[in-house]
Amino acid sequence: MFKHARRTVVATAFCFGLAFSLGAFAQDECQACIDDCYVQYEECLNTGMFCKPALNRCTAACGCQV
């Protein structure tokens, strides 16, 4: 019975570690996408246009969780 419980704990810890690692990788990609959106936003502002809706669409397309 204790072997089964220990295996369950080990498997859970492994899955948590894997999810944490993948989450950190996804955050890096997410931040790069959002940074690119703000670069595009700054370029749009330099043209004198109203750019907030385009920024909102761009950041939403990144699919990042806040």
Side-chain angles (χ1 to χ4, degrees), residues 16-63:
F16 179 77
L18 182 62
F20 186 76
S21 296
L22 292 175
F25 180 72
Q27 276 186 322
D28 289 341
E29 285 186 14
C30 183
Q31 188 61 49
C33 182
I34 289 177
D35 290 345
D36 187 49
C37 289
Y38 278 99
V39 168
Q40 292 175 23
Y41 177 69
E42 290 295 325
E43 291 172 355
C44 180
L45 288 177
N46 290 334
T47 65
M49 297 178 65
F50 182 67
C51 305
K52 190 69 173 178
L55 175 65
N56 291 340
R57 283 190 304 273
C58 184
T59 56
C62 290

